[in-house]
Amino acid sequence: MLAQLTSPKFLRAALPAASFTILLAAIFYVQPRAMSYFGMNLMLQYTVPIALATIAQMFIITVNDLDLSIGAFVGLTACIGATLLADTPVLGVLALTACVAAYAGLGALIHWRNLPSIVVTLGMSFVWLGIAVLILPTPGGTAPGWVKAIMGLKIPYVPFPIVAAIAVGLVVHVALMRSSYGAVLRGAGGNPKAIGRAGWSLLKTKMVMFGAAGFFGVLSGLSLIGLTSAADAHIADRYTLYAIAGVILGGGEFVGGRVSPIGAVIGALTLALTGSFLTFLRISPDWQIGAQGGILILVLALRALINRREG
Amino acid sequence: MTVAANNIVTLENVAKHFGAVRALDGVDLTVDTGECLGLVGHNGAGKSTLMNVLAGTLTPDRGVMGIHGKDLSGQYSVKVAGENGIRCVFQELSLCPNLTVAENARIFHPSLTGFGWKRRAGRMILAKLDEIFPGHGIQPDDVVGDLSIGKRQMVEIARAFTTTDAPLHLVILDEPTSSLDAVTAGQLLDFVRKVVGQDMSCILISHVLGEVLDYSDRIVVMKDGLVVAARPGKDFTRDSLVAAMGNVVEMDEIQEHDAFEIKRGRTPIVIEAKADGGRDSAPFVAHRGEIIGLAGLASHGQTRMLLRIYDAAMKRSRSTKVEGPVALVAGDRQTDGVFHLWSIAQNIGIRSLPGMVKRGLIDPLAEAAMGREWQERIKIKTPDMNDNILSLSGGNQQKALFARALASDAEIILMDDPMRGVDIGTKLEVYDLIREEAEKGRTFLWYTTETDELYNCDHTYVFRDGVIVADLPRDELSEEKILHSSFKESA
């Protein structure tokens, strides 16, 4: 039993949940008043958009790519949501669908021309930002009422962000980890050659994964304006790095198709909590980003340590 | 085209070229129902290319492919192969390490979907594993990356024999026993005989000649992209099989080199190393001024030995003794050899930079002088040594890499199959240069996949599975002996 609990495999799987729990405990110790329905709601309200962006990034990482444009893309969809979708819903839905299709197209381009995804998505991040600025030159707009209504849901006993994050994690878990095509998609990250040899289209797997990432990017943008009720082209610039950090914190790896949707959601929750934790410690906002990076390095160092024991 | 009804596969005049390399040069092959076909040949004979063509992963440049009596040339693909019941177990494993055993089974079977697919896939692969390898100890929900290499190979083999909707007619096994121990290898081969009795067919590719001789109905021998012999298995003996695979050695070549004296023992030892196998392996010894050949099938530990010696020269090692500075001539020019953005002169000078430093900076005059000197000595064909290295032909790039090693202070030169894809004229020039330098007291360690080159060596060590299995002085060297030691006696 003890041997099983200290095995690298178990430790690696438990690390995301453990770091989240430890961080939560530390917050409750520093600020006992946070241990309430209202406190939790406040601390975790931004986890839903971060978790959705993290899931989007996780899809990309599953097929051994990296998306450096997810932040700008979430910003764009937020701008579309606060303008087109609110004013002319049909046009808004069309625009958001086009965004998802563009993402799938990027996946096809990356596979077809064998391009490095980092370069393509870095370039696209400026494209997304440019379009967002064209749509909404100054911060403003209004989120559609139904989006605000969903994000403002009050669920008894458990704060809405936690329920939403768990729901997102479970849905993606079933789709990617339990479904039969999900196995093929993950296999395309683990050994693309083998998947090709077994007769599957690698182009299709790339397009499906990028399309799914685009879809979750759209959801992330909408949930974000549901909280802020207005949008700005730069509203989600930090999400690019949050999303990568969330996937890695959640036990995913950059290559090899080893990812965990539940872990990624927990990683996003952890990231959202670090901000609150540092505020409770009265660390000035100037230092917060650096301190957040410090926590990240600490957790990832722990994982590297576990992996070394395994090797 | 005439195709007998009981043929699963009929290939006629199939060819596949990769640039100038003729991997397949017009191969005829038939596989009958219910036969185990053994396929043997030296490295680069074209066996793996042929199997990739059959599996649908490579499209041949020309030739006729008949499957079950239908002409499918030009429309053959992985999918068509699957529909016609042809499967391949590739030499390098094609499992996804991040998936479980059951999930990997699912990858092979598009029809395994819907509720409970994981359980069904797991049951299917487990049943097949139990059938082929009783007592295998593999669970369907084990992650493949956590399994040992032998167990991974067992999963891969079992997976190839599982069936769902399409019937299975032919399984190609490319080096299936390379990671299996004697017991499991025996289980597999017995299973192959059993399914062959049930009107399925197998192609067995193996470097273990004993397996091929004992388990094949018919044996096909390939050499240089051609089928050179195809006879019933019982007509072959180990010796006739080896003879069919090998080249006829040109006697002039040997006599020409007989002018060398055998130096062993007259000069001090400069290298003493042990191969991976530890006690099983003969020691690796090189005396000053010797040219030592490293032979055997590709990637059986020769490069690893060179790198170990290189490491030992850079920092002291207890197990390996190396006296004197070393330099390495890389075989894979583009990855390990040239600096793509640098000039020819810079590429030559890099190994000798410490000697060309003036006031903390590289002396460009010294670098240019070294470049000119070696352009002269080794005849690099270029108008200007300041041109980019990639402006040279492949052979001349390789000459530049030789110049890099020879221009340095190194007394020991390690060569990792440096003549790959080099034209014969350049080769002969470099051979002369090596002999010249060896007479001056430099030691050469020369890994080569071309047997002819070994006749330049004073001593040849044959590697198999990382272990030195033969130590042949020049006068005892023959291709047959190298082949004999390269292939295992039995499983």
Side-chain angles (χ1 to χ4, degrees):
Chain A
M1 184 65 190
L2 190 69
Q4 207 174 10
L5 283 179
T6 53
S7 77
K9 206 173 156 185
F10 177 80
L11 285 178
R12 200 171 49 189
L15 189 64
S19 34
F20 175 72
T21 317
I22 290 168
L23 198 58
L24 201 61
I27 286 176
F28 290 159
Y29 178 75
V30 175
Q31 186 55 271
R33 267 177 296 172
M35 207 185 334
S36 66
Y37 180 80
F38 182 71
M40 292 285 283
N41 228 338
L42 211 58
M43 274 196 307
L44 291 170
Q45 62 172 342
Y46 281 99
T47 51
V48 176
I50 295 179
L52 289 166
T54 305
I55 293 286
Q57 183 68 264
M58 187 199 71
F59 284 131
I60 308 273
I61 289 180
T62 305
V63 284
N64 299 342
D65 285 320
L66 201 60
D67 185 359
L68 295 185
S69 68
I70 192 70
F73 183 76
V74 170
L76 168 66
T77 56
C79 287
I80 293 176
T83 54
L84 288 178
L85 192 65
D87 304 336
T88 46
V90 177
L91 204 60
V93 170
L94 273 180
L96 292 177
T97 314
C99 285
V100 175
Y103 246 72
L106 280 184
L109 180 75
I110 285 168
H111 175 78
W112 176 49
R113 301 301 306 168
N114 201 13
L115 297 169
S117 59
I118 292 181
V119 176
V120 174
T121 56
L122 186 63
M124 285 312 289
S125 71
F126 296 100
V127 175
W128 304 135
L129 189 65
I131 301 175
V133 170
L134 283 178
I135 293 176
L136 193 64
T138 49
T142 3
W146 55 273
V147 175
K148 275 194 272 190
I150 293 176
M151 291 310 290
L153 266 184
K154 291 268 185 298
I155 297 170
Y157 306 116
V158 192
F160 171 71
I162 292 186
V163 176
I166 290 174
V168 167
L170 283 179
V171 166
V172 179
H173 180 82
V174 169
L176 191 63
M177 310 302 282
R178 308 289 308 173
S179 83
S180 60
Y181 192 61
V184 176
L185 291 173
R186 282 180 291 130
N191 188 349
K193 212 170 163 187
I195 297 292
R197 274 173 175 174
W200 299 96
S201 161
L202 288 171
L203 176 71
K204 194 178 153 199
T205 59
K206 272 259 153 93
M207 287 180 71
V208 167
M209 284 317 232
F210 273 76
F215 179 68
F216 276 83
V218 168
L219 292 186
S220 171
L222 293 182
S223 62
L224 187 55
I225 55 166
L227 294 168
T228 59
S229 65
D232 168 24
H234 290 281
I235 193 169
D237 283 358
R238 271 202 216 165
Y239 278 26
T240 303
L241 293 181
Y242 275 173
I244 298 173
V247 175
I248 304 305
L249 268 181
E253 275 166 42
F254 280 118
V255 286
R258 285 173 206 270
V259 291
S260 155
I262 307 266
V265 168
I266 296 178
L269 285 169
T270 312
L271 278 172
L273 275 187
T274 49
S276 312
F277 177 58
L278 295 168
T279 311
F280 289 141
L281 286 182
R282 292 178 209 285
I283 290 174
S284 96
D286 297 342
W287 292 96
Q288 278 200 9
I289 297 181
Q292 233 168 358
I295 293 180
L296 247 174
I297 292 175
L298 197 74
V299 176
L300 293 184
L302 269 177
R303 201 175 77 180
L305 218 64
I306 293 172
N307 281 351
R308 190 172 309 165
R309 255 187 53 192
E310 194 177 37
Chain B
M1 165 178 149
T2 52
V3 173
N6 63 338
N7 281 353
I8 294 179
V9 173
T10 315
L11 300 184
E12 276 176 27
N13 200 22
V14 166
K16 177 81 193 170
H17 297 180
F18 299 100
V21 180
R22 289 153 181 252
L24 289 180
D25 209 8
V27 168
D28 299 330
L29 184 79
T30 55
V31 183
D32 296 332
T33 306
E35 81 167 338
C36 178
L37 183 74
L39 187 60
V40 294
H42 208 300
N43 288 319
K47 298 169 306 219
S48 291
T49 312
L50 184 62
M51 292 312 106
N52 274 299
V53 166
L54 269 180
T57 44
L58 281 178
T59 316
D61 298 335
R62 63 179 156 85
V64 179
M65 290 195 73
I67 310 288
H68 293 301
K70 269 182 296 186
D71 185 354
L72 292 177
S73 359
Q75 45 186 316
Y76 200 67
S77 68
V78 179
K79 222 172 147 198
V80 178
E83 284 161 7
N84 283 287
I86 297 176
R87 303 263 184 78
C88 189
V89 178
F90 291 97
Q91 197 175 351
E92 77 278 26
L93 300 179
S94 34
L95 297 172
C96 297
N98 58 331
L99 302 184
T100 65
V101 172
E103 285 168 340
N104 267 294
R106 182 285 183 261
I107 300 291
F108 237 56
H109 297 288
S111 62
L112 262 180
T113 54
F115 189 73
W117 66 271
K118 225 174 235 190
R119 212 179 45 240
R120 275 180 283 141
R123 266 206 308 263
M124 177 180 76
I125 187 84
L126 195 62
K128 201 48 90 173
L129 276 168
D130 287 341
E131 188 183 347
I132 307 176
F133 305 108
H136 50 80
I138 299 167
Q139 293 302 317
D141 52 357
D142 286 344
V143 175
V144 166
D146 297 338
L147 296 176
S148 69
I149 178 89
K151 283 188 174 171
R152 274 185 236 181
Q153 193 157 27
M154 285 152 75
V155 171
E156 171 128 24
I157 291 166
R159 184 179 71 163
F161 283 99
T162 55
T163 49
T164 44
D165 45 359
L168 185 58
H169 297 294
L170 171 65
V171 176
I172 302 161
L173 299 161
D174 193 354
E175 294 288 342
T177 56
S178 59
S179 310
L180 299 180
D181 57 49
V183 176
T184 43
Q187 288 174 336
L188 168 67
L189 293 166
D190 292 337
F191 178 77
V192 166
R193 284 316 311 176
K194 193 181 113 196
V195 294
V196 163
Q198 295 160 356
D199 272 354
M200 242 178 71
S201 308
C202 284
I203 297 182
L204 177 64
I205 303 176
S206 180
H207 278 138
V208 186
L209 296 186
E211 286 175 8
V212 178
L213 284 166
D214 293 348
Y215 289 90
S216 306
D217 301 308
R218 201 155 58 90
I219 297 178
V220 170
V221 182
M222 286 188 74
K223 201 180 94 184
D224 301 334
L226 290 167
V227 170
V228 290
R231 269 176 277 159
K234 56 182 185 306
D235 291 5
F236 278 107
T237 63
R238 195 185 149 77
D239 291 326
S240 66
L241 206 51
V242 168
M245 279 192 288
N247 289 312
V248 180
V249 178
E250 288 153 26
M251 289 311 285
D252 328 344
E253 187 91 6
I254 299 176
Q255 267 146 20
E256 188 195 323
H257 298 316
D258 273 347
F260 287 84
E261 55 188 326
I262 292 163
K263 302 189 193 86
R264 178 135 292 193
R266 295 196 201 162
T267 48
I269 293 176
V270 288
I271 295 177
E272 247 185 311
K274 275 206 179 70
D276 291 341
R279 271 168 300 154
D280 300 343
S281 176
F284 184 94
V285 179
H287 291 253
R288 206 169 102 85
E290 278 185 329
I291 305 174
I292 304 288
L294 287 78
L297 299 167
S299 61
H300 270 244
Q302 298 95 334
T303 302
R304 240 179 305 146
M305 173 61 90
L306 290 181
L307 292 180
R308 175 174 309 163
I309 291 166
Y310 190 85
D311 285 343
M314 292 295 138
K315 53 174 199 264
R316 293 269 144 243
S317 148
R318 248 173 298 161
S319 55
T320 310
K321 182 187 128 184
V322 181
E323 304 278 339
V326 301
L328 180 79
V329 183
D332 191 346
R333 274 195 294 285
Q334 299 313 328
T335 8
D336 305 334
V338 300
F339 293 92
H340 294 211
L341 299 175
W342 292 7
S343 74
I344 307 164
Q346 283 170 325
N347 261 292
I348 292 177
I350 178 72
R351 174 64 177 76
S352 315
L353 283 185
M356 299 194 296
V357 173
K358 209 162 142 192
R359 280 187 239 111
L361 299 171
I362 299 170
D363 181 4
L365 292 176
E367 199 176 51
M370 177 179 278
R372 269 196 308 280
E373 182 197 338
W374 281 91
Q375 179 181 17
E376 196 79 4
R377 279 193 63 183
I378 207 166
K379 295 185 198 68
I380 297 174
K381 292 188 190 75
T382 176
D384 188 349
M385 289 296 278
N386 291 319
D387 284 352
N388 183 284
I389 181 94
L390 296 183
S391 67
L392 297 177
S393 70
N396 277 293
Q397 284 180 29
Q398 195 63 52
K399 278 190 190 172
L401 293 186
F402 269 105
R404 181 192 291 171
L406 296 176
S408 72
D409 57 355
E411 286 160 24
I412 300 163
I413 314 276
L414 312 175
M415 301 190 286
D416 183 9
D417 202 8
M419 299 301 189
R420 270 181 237 169
V422 173
D423 61 283
I424 182 72
T426 306
K427 278 184 185 171
L428 294 176
E429 283 173 39
V430 174
Y431 295 161
D432 288 340
L433 194 71
I434 289 172
R435 268 177 246 150
E436 213 176 282
E437 291 290 326
E439 267 159 43
K440 288 185 197 155
R442 273 183 160 156
T443 312
F444 288 83
L445 304 190
W446 189 352
Y447 164 43
T448 171
T449 45
E450 288 176 43
T451 311
D452 294 347
E453 290 189 339
L454 293 171
Y455 292 105
N456 290 304
C457 300
D458 302 305
H459 248 270
T460 298
Y461 290 103
V462 183
F463 284 70
R464 191 183 72 213
D465 293 330
V467 175
I468 296 172
V469 288
D471 170 6
L472 304 169
R474 148 93 45 61
D475 45 355
E476 290 173 24
L477 185 72
S478 74
E479 172 149 30
E480 211 178 335
K481 272 193 187 154
I482 294 171
L483 280 173
H484 256 294
S485 3
S486 300
F487 292 96
K488 269 184 227 175
E489 199 63 50
S490 63

